[in-house]
Amino acid sequence: MTLLPLQDQTCVVTVTYGERTHLLAQVLRAAFRCGAACAVVVDNGTPRPAQEALASLQDEFGADVLHVVRLAENEGSAGGFHAGLAHAARLRDMRFIWVLDDDNVPEENALSILLARWKRLGADERNAMMSFRADKRQYRKVLDRKTLHWIEPDAFFDFNLAHLWNGGKRKAAIREGCFELGVAAYGGFWFARSWLDRIALPPQHYHLYFDDYAFSQQIPAAGGHIWLCPDSRLHDIDESWRANRRAIHPWLDSGTEERRVFCTIRNRLWLERSLARSLTLHRLNMALYLLVKVIAPNLGTMLTRVGSAPAFLRRFRLIRRAFRAGLS
C-alpha cells in the first residue's frame, strides 16, 4: 500500500449493506492502492455472513487502518454516511475525506490526480473535488454541455420552463481542466476534513437519495467550490436501479422498490422548496415534468400492458403520496 505524503493523508468513508462485501473488498483494495491512509466502513445493518466478511477485511488491513462502524439496522444512505462522516471527523490526523459508494472502484491514479488538481487550483481547503463516474448521466452532461450541475431555483429535477426565456442552463466555470459543480453525489466526493467542523452532516431524515446533495451543497453555500475532475475516474461494478430507464421510467417500473421512488421524489422536493423563488413556476415545472418526462414517453408502453393497469394505478398513487409528502 502506497500512502500519500503525511500532510495529504486521505480517509475513505463508505457504507455497505446487505450481502455486498464482495464489492466492498474490491473498492477498499483499490482505494488503498491509490494511496488512501485509512477507511471508515459503516456496516448498515448487514446480516451475519456480511459481518463476518467485514471482520476478515479488518483482519486483512488492520483495525487501525480499517475502522468499522456498525449500525443495528439499515438506516439508509443518509444514516449510514451521517455515522461514517461523524467518525471520520474525529480522525484529526487525516486531512482529507474521500467518500465512495461500496461499488465505486477507483483507478490506480484517481486519488493522486485529485490531489494534483487541487494543488493546481491553489491548494485551498475551500475547494472540494469530485471524481468522474461514467455511469452518472449528470456528470456526462456537464462535460458535454459545459453546464452547471446544481439545484436550480424553481426547476423540478432540472426541468425548467424558464429556460425558454432566460437563456437556458447556467454555464459551469472551468479551471485547470475541472468543471464547477453546485452539488455532488457521495461516490467520489473528496474534500478537506476541516469542512466537517463547519457544515452539518447528511440529514438522517432523508433516509435515501439526495441526502448527498443536501450535504454537499453546503460547501458552495459557505463560500467554497466543488470541482469535477474528469481524469480522476471511478468504475461502478454494480448496476444502478435507474439503468433501465430506456425501457420504462423507473418511477413506473413495478420492479423498482416503492421506497426508492417515494424517497427520490419527496427528498428532491424538500431540497427544491427551500430554493424556490416562484412557487407558481415550481409547481408548473412539476406538472410539465410529469407530463413530458414520465407520462408521454411511456404512454405507449402503458397502453400495451393492459393487464398491468392496476400496477400502474398503484404507482401513480405512490407518486401522488410522494409529492404530498415533499410539499407538506
Side-chain angles (χ1 to χ4, degrees):
M1 183 170 66
T2 302
L3 293 180
L4 296 175
L6 189 62
Q7 71 272 17
D8 297 326
Q9 288 200 349
T10 294
C11 176
V12 166
V13 174
T14 189
V15 175
T16 193
Y17 62 97
E19 297 278 7
R20 294 170 59 87
T21 47
H22 62 292
L23 301 173
L24 173 68
Q26 297 178 63
V27 172
L28 291 175
R29 291 181 182 121
F32 289 136
R33 284 196 298 270
C34 280
C38 72
V40 175
V41 173
V42 176
D43 172 353
N44 212 357
T46 64
R48 177 66 63 182
Q51 294 174 37
E52 293 171 354
L54 276 173
S56 295
L57 286 173
Q58 196 168 38
D59 289 340
E60 176 183 341
F61 298 116
D64 56 333
V65 172
L66 182 57
H67 304 244
V68 176
V69 178
R70 171 152 178 80
L71 302 180
E73 59 186 24
N74 190 329
E75 298 183 13
S77 62
F81 280 107
H82 183 106
L85 290 168
H87 186 93
R90 297 191 289 271
L91 301 178
R92 299 285 166 168
D93 52 338
M94 291 294 115
R95 187 180 182 190
F96 299 105
I97 305 296
W98 197 19
V99 184
L100 299 174
D101 291 331
D102 67 354
D103 61 350
N104 299 153
V105 175
E107 292 186 353
E108 191 167 353
N109 59 356
L111 184 53
S112 60
I113 287 174
L114 284 182
L115 183 61
R117 291 298 174 90
W118 177 79
K119 288 181 176 178
R120 284 167 57 180
L121 286 166
D124 187 340
E125 290 197 356
R126 289 175 297 180
N127 286 326
M129 308 297 292
M130 186 73 196
S131 297
F132 180 73
R133 294 165 59 188
D135 81 310
K136 286 287 187 182
R137 294 175 66 250
Q138 59 266 41
Y139 297 147
R140 295 200 305 269
K141 286 181 179 179
V142 169
L143 301 190
D144 292 342
R145 304 176 185 178
K146 313 286 190 296
T147 53
L148 179 67
H149 177 61
W150 63 318
I151 305 298
E152 182 180 356
D154 301 326
F156 180 65
F157 278 95
D158 296 327
F159 183 94
N160 194 351
L161 186 64
H163 290 166
L164 295 176
W165 61 80
N166 69 4
K169 291 190 175 183
R170 198 172 112 186
K171 291 297 183 181
I174 304 174
R175 290 181 57 195
E176 300 296 339
C178 298
F179 296 75
E180 175 190 15
L181 296 174
V183 291
Y186 288 132
F189 191 31
W190 182 90
F191 55 91
R193 191 214 55 80
S194 58
W195 273 111
L196 296 178
D197 299 327
R198 302 171 54 191
I199 61 176
L201 294 170
Q204 292 169 287
H205 63 287
Y206 274 51
H207 189 65
L208 290 173
Y209 307 123
F210 297 117
D211 43 294
D212 46 5
Y213 284 13
F215 171 68
S216 62
Q217 72 173 357
Q218 297 177 94
I219 288 181
H225 300 276
I226 304 172
W227 299 97
L228 175 65
C229 182
D231 296 330
S232 173
R233 291 183 170 261
L234 308 179
H235 298 285
D236 292 335
I237 53 176
D238 189 40
E239 188 178 75
S240 169
W241 64 277
R242 298 180 180 89
N244 195 37
R245 63 184 304 134
R246 289 185 179 178
I248 190 170
H249 195 285
W251 294 1
L252 302 178
D253 187 350
S254 60
T256 303
E257 187 182 356
E258 289 191 356
R259 180 186 58 159
R260 293 180 183 271
V261 176
F262 183 87
C263 289
T264 296
I265 297 170
R266 181 199 62 182
N267 296 358
R268 183 74 182 208
L269 285 170
W270 279 349
L271 270 178
E272 293 177 351
R273 283 178 60 207
S274 64
L275 299 173
R277 298 167 183 163
S278 168
L279 293 178
T280 300
L281 180 57
H282 187 226
R283 295 291 179 95
L284 180 58
N285 284 326
M286 287 164 45
L288 288 173
Y289 181 93
L290 280 174
L291 178 63
V292 174
K293 298 288 189 177
V294 180
I295 297 174
N298 298 284
L299 188 58
T301 301
M302 289 189 285
L303 291 175
T304 58
R305 298 183 187 179
V306 179
S308 300
F312 284 126
L313 183 59
R314 285 195 298 272
R315 274 302 155 114
F316 280 111
R317 287 173 177 166
L318 171 67
I319 291 169
R320 184 177 63 181
R321 290 201 305 273
F323 271 92
R324 285 180 174 174
L327 295 172
S328 63

